[in-house]
Amino acid sequence: MADQSSTTICKTFEYKLRPNAKFIAACEHVLSSSRFLYNCLLEQRISYYQQTGKSLNKFEQSRQITDARNEFSEMASVSRAIQTDVLDRLDKSYQAFFKRNAGFPRFKGQHRYHSFSQQIEKQRTCPLRGDKLHVPSVGTCRVRLSRPIEGRVKQLRITRRADGWFALLVCEIPQPKPLPKTGVEVGVDVGIKSFATLSTGESIENPR
């Protein structure tokens, strides 16, 4: 999405991975470490509020993550960019709780943390080259290249699902120009048996 004055929009490209055992082990390690960090940060915020009556902001926690990385090798085994995303994820949950009356952030069990992501800086090359995906600090694996990628990759997310591992690449692309107006209006009824039926009588089959 983009505002009216923006010349670019974000588009997400999803690919199913064809990972090897080494890549899966590395991803599992990152997920486990990220879940542990998320729970620690949440516990720290709760304890700090109980002791002081004040909220602990993400900038202070970010500084503490940096200190912990310098002190503990286990913390340094995961990319700082991924750990930043963990903190951002927790902070967004807090913001939703206070601003939109969403549920209070919950501790993540082993089966409730399935993805990790990191921002890709402008100076970095595209992590996807052909059908090979390079995940910084994790490893390289092949993907099922279902469609070509477009634009500049801003964020890379790796997700574990019941049917395998997936990569979601959020890309910045030029905002498409609107089509010229024709003065003709058509009603669209979206269904299950057929993808859509137009008011002109034309039916578009479900691509399944």
Side-chain angles (χ1 to χ4, degrees):
M1 297 181 64
D3 57 46
Q4 295 296 322
S5 60
S6 177
T7 59
T8 61
I9 61 173
C10 286
K11 183 176 181 180
T12 300
F13 294 82
E14 180 175 307
Y15 303 98
K16 186 169 185 178
L17 302 183
R18 300 168 60 187
N20 51 53
K22 183 178 179 181
F23 184 86
I24 292 177
C27 288
E28 294 284 4
H29 169 70
V30 172
L31 283 179
S32 177
S33 178
S34 297
R35 182 176 68 87
F36 176 77
L37 177 61
Y38 183 97
N39 289 337
C40 285
L41 294 173
L42 176 55
E43 182 179 11
Q44 185 185 39
R45 288 200 180 196
I46 294 173
S47 298
Y48 186 83
Y49 181 79
Q50 291 174 341
Q51 295 170 9
T52 67
K54 300 179 181 179
S55 297
L56 186 63
N57 63 53
K58 76 171 186 177
F59 302 105
E60 175 60 23
Q61 287 191 303
S62 178
R63 185 188 64 77
Q64 293 178 5
I65 289 176
T66 300
D67 293 341
R69 287 177 60 84
N70 294 329
E71 186 174 354
F72 303 105
S73 58
E74 178 64 22
M75 280 290 293
S77 67
V78 175
S79 166
R80 184 64 170 87
I82 293 175
Q83 292 172 339
T84 297
D85 176 74
V86 173
L87 178 55
D88 287 343
R89 188 182 301 191
L90 173 63
D91 196 64
K92 288 178 181 177
S93 295
Y94 259 82
Q95 296 300 323
F97 171 71
F98 287 110
K99 293 181 179 180
R100 303 197 302 270
N101 295 321
F104 188 79
R106 298 170 58 186
F107 290 100
K108 303 293 185 182
Q110 185 176 359
H111 301 295
R112 297 189 65 246
Y113 205 99
H114 301 290
S115 67
F116 62 88
S117 68
Q118 54 186 300
Q119 300 294 323
I120 305 297
E121 295 84 359
K122 283 186 177 181
Q123 61 269 27
R124 285 192 179 183
T125 58
C126 178
L128 182 63
R129 293 187 179 182
D131 67 343
K132 289 186 178 180
L133 177 70
H134 174 65
V135 183
S137 78
V138 176
T140 302
C141 75
R142 294 186 178 277
V143 304
R144 294 181 180 175
L145 200 63
S146 53
R147 56 173 172 165
I149 197 169
E150 304 172 27
R152 182 184 73 83
V153 179
K154 297 184 64 178
Q155 183 187 52
L156 169 61
R157 180 177 294 274
I158 302 297
T159 300
R160 177 184 60 194
R161 298 175 185 162
D163 56 341
W165 292 82
F166 294 81
L168 289 83
L169 292 91
V170 180
C171 300
E172 187 178 61
I173 64 173
Q175 187 170 11
K177 295 181 180 179
L179 295 174
K181 295 182 178 180
T182 64
V184 178
E185 296 180 355
V186 177
V188 181
D189 180 25
V190 179
I192 299 177
K193 185 175 181 180
S194 61
F195 177 73
T197 301
L198 309 183
S199 58
T200 58
E202 180 183 355
S203 178
I204 303 174
E205 295 298 322
N206 193 329
R208 299 190 183 280

